[in-house]
Short mmCIF file of all heavy atoms in Angstrom, two decimals:
data_model
loop_
_atom_site.label_atom_id
_atom_site.label_comp_id
_atom_site.label_asym_id
_atom_site.label_seq_id
_atom_site.Cartn_x
_atom_site.Cartn_y
_atom_site.Cartn_z
N GLY A 1141 76.51 97.15 105.74
CA GLY A 1141 75.48 96.70 104.81
C GLY A 1141 75.92 96.62 103.38
O GLY A 1141 75.25 96.22 102.45
N PHE A 1159 83.68 82.55 91.53
CA PHE A 1159 84.41 81.52 92.31
C PHE A 1159 84.67 82.23 93.73
O PHE A 1159 85.46 83.14 93.85
CB PHE A 1159 85.78 81.21 91.72
CG PHE A 1159 86.45 79.98 92.28
CD1 PHE A 1159 85.83 78.70 92.17
CD2 PHE A 1159 87.61 80.15 93.02
CE1 PHE A 1159 86.50 77.61 92.81
CE2 PHE A 1159 88.23 79.04 93.62
CZ PHE A 1159 87.67 77.82 93.50
N ALA A 1162 87.08 81.29 100.66
CA ALA A 1162 86.87 81.61 102.04
C ALA A 1162 87.50 80.60 102.95
O ALA A 1162 88.12 79.66 102.41
CB ALA A 1162 85.33 81.73 102.35
N GLU A 1191 88.28 76.33 101.79
CA GLU A 1191 89.33 75.47 102.27
C GLU A 1191 90.52 76.16 102.69
O GLU A 1191 91.58 75.51 102.99
CB GLU A 1191 89.73 74.54 101.14
CG GLU A 1191 88.63 73.61 100.51
CD GLU A 1191 88.04 72.69 101.54
OE1 GLU A 1191 88.80 72.30 102.50
OE2 GLU A 1191 86.83 72.34 101.45
N PRO A 1261 87.23 91.98 102.94
CA PRO A 1261 87.82 91.63 104.25
C PRO A 1261 86.95 91.43 105.35
O PRO A 1261 85.94 92.18 105.54
CB PRO A 1261 88.79 92.80 104.53
CG PRO A 1261 88.11 94.01 103.80
CD PRO A 1261 87.40 93.42 102.65
N ALA A 1274 100.24 88.84 97.47
CA ALA A 1274 99.56 87.74 98.04
C ALA A 1274 100.76 86.90 98.76
O ALA A 1274 101.61 86.54 98.03
CB ALA A 1274 98.92 86.82 96.99
N TYR A 1293 96.01 94.04 91.96
CA TYR A 1293 95.05 94.97 92.41
C TYR A 1293 93.61 94.52 92.14
O TYR A 1293 93.33 94.17 91.02
CB TYR A 1293 95.37 96.35 91.95
CG TYR A 1293 96.53 96.95 92.56
CD1 TYR A 1293 97.63 97.17 91.75
CD2 TYR A 1293 96.60 97.37 93.88
CE1 TYR A 1293 98.84 97.75 92.27
CE2 TYR A 1293 97.75 97.89 94.41
CZ TYR A 1293 98.85 98.17 93.62
OH TYR A 1293 99.94 98.71 94.17
N GLY A 1316 94.52 93.91 114.37
CA GLY A 1316 94.62 95.41 114.49
C GLY A 1316 95.98 95.90 114.63
O GLY A 1316 96.34 96.92 114.03
N VAL A 1324 102.55 102.39 110.60
CA VAL A 1324 103.76 102.93 111.15
C VAL A 1324 104.96 102.72 110.19
O VAL A 1324 105.81 103.61 109.97
CB VAL A 1324 104.04 102.33 112.53
CG1 VAL A 1324 105.39 102.69 113.03
CG2 VAL A 1324 103.05 102.76 113.57
N SER A 1336 101.07 108.49 100.68
CA SER A 1336 101.11 107.42 101.64
C SER A 1336 101.11 108.03 103.10
O SER A 1336 100.46 107.43 103.98
CB SER A 1336 102.33 106.54 101.54
OG SER A 1336 103.57 107.30 101.73
N ALA A 1340 98.62 107.01 106.09
CA ALA A 1340 99.15 106.42 107.27
C ALA A 1340 98.85 107.16 108.52
O ALA A 1340 98.54 106.69 109.52
CB ALA A 1340 100.70 106.33 107.09
N LEU A 1353 88.94 99.54 122.14
CA LEU A 1353 87.50 99.47 122.19
C LEU A 1353 86.97 98.36 121.40
O LEU A 1353 86.15 97.53 121.77
CB LEU A 1353 86.88 100.85 121.64
CG LEU A 1353 85.52 101.18 122.00
CD1 LEU A 1353 85.31 101.24 123.50
CD2 LEU A 1353 85.14 102.60 121.41
N LEU A 1376 96.51 100.80 101.91
CA LEU A 1376 96.75 101.70 100.84
C LEU A 1376 98.12 102.38 101.00
O LEU A 1376 98.93 102.57 100.04
CB LEU A 1376 95.67 102.78 100.76
CG LEU A 1376 94.34 102.31 100.13
CD1 LEU A 1376 93.20 103.33 100.41
CD2 LEU A 1376 94.44 102.05 98.68
N VAL A 1383 106.72 98.45 103.50
CA VAL A 1383 106.80 98.26 104.89
C VAL A 1383 108.41 98.18 105.22
O VAL A 1383 109.20 98.28 104.35
CB VAL A 1383 106.06 97.12 105.42
CG1 VAL A 1383 104.58 97.33 105.49
CG2 VAL A 1383 106.31 95.88 104.57
N ALA A 1395 107.69 81.96 108.99
CA ALA A 1395 108.33 80.80 108.18
C ALA A 1395 108.92 79.79 109.05
O ALA A 1395 108.68 78.60 108.86
CB ALA A 1395 109.30 81.45 107.19
N ALA A 1404 103.13 88.24 115.19
CA ALA A 1404 104.52 88.41 115.05
C ALA A 1404 104.84 89.94 114.93
O ALA A 1404 105.76 90.51 115.61
CB ALA A 1404 105.08 87.69 113.75
N VAL A 1407 104.38 91.76 118.38
CA VAL A 1407 105.38 91.61 119.43
C VAL A 1407 106.63 92.33 119.02
O VAL A 1407 107.30 92.96 119.92
CB VAL A 1407 105.65 90.04 119.61
CG1 VAL A 1407 106.86 89.90 120.57
CG2 VAL A 1407 104.45 89.34 120.12
N PRO A 1410 107.42 97.47 118.81
CA PRO A 1410 108.10 98.42 119.64
C PRO A 1410 109.61 98.23 119.59
O PRO A 1410 110.36 99.20 119.62
CB PRO A 1410 107.56 98.08 121.08
CG PRO A 1410 106.39 97.23 120.81
CD PRO A 1410 106.47 96.60 119.49
N TYR A 1424 108.26 109.72 114.45
CA TYR A 1424 107.79 109.07 115.69
C TYR A 1424 107.14 110.08 116.47
O TYR A 1424 106.14 109.85 117.23
CB TYR A 1424 108.94 108.38 116.41
CG TYR A 1424 109.31 107.05 115.82
CD1 TYR A 1424 110.39 106.38 116.40
CD2 TYR A 1424 108.65 106.51 114.74
CE1 TYR A 1424 110.78 105.09 115.91
CE2 TYR A 1424 109.07 105.28 114.24
CZ TYR A 1424 110.11 104.63 114.79
OH TYR A 1424 110.54 103.37 114.27
N GLU A 1471 115.65 81.00 122.22
CA GLU A 1471 116.57 82.01 121.96
C GLU A 1471 117.68 81.57 121.04
O GLU A 1471 118.37 82.37 120.35
CB GLU A 1471 117.22 82.52 123.31
CG GLU A 1471 116.48 83.60 123.81
CD GLU A 1471 117.16 84.37 124.97
OE1 GLU A 1471 118.17 85.17 124.64
OE2 GLU A 1471 116.84 84.16 126.18
N LYS A 1485 113.94 91.11 101.00
CA LYS A 1485 114.68 92.28 100.48
C LYS A 1485 113.98 93.74 100.59
O LYS A 1485 114.55 94.66 101.15
CB LYS A 1485 115.01 92.08 99.04
CG LYS A 1485 116.18 91.06 98.86
CD LYS A 1485 117.34 91.67 97.99
CE LYS A 1485 118.64 91.05 98.34
NZ LYS A 1485 118.75 89.61 98.46
N ASP A 1496 121.70 95.42 109.26
CA ASP A 1496 122.50 94.27 108.82
C ASP A 1496 122.21 93.16 109.76
O ASP A 1496 121.29 93.27 110.69
CB ASP A 1496 123.90 94.67 108.71
CG ASP A 1496 124.42 95.22 110.03
OD1 ASP A 1496 123.67 95.17 111.08
OD2 ASP A 1496 125.53 95.77 110.11
#
Side-chain angles (χ1 to χ4, degrees):
F1159 190 71
E1191 300 298 331
Y1293 286 111
V1324 168
S1336 63
L1353 199 55
L1376 287 166
V1383 282
V1407 175
Y1424 283 177
E1471 269 194 77
K1485 286 238 154 39
D1496 54 12

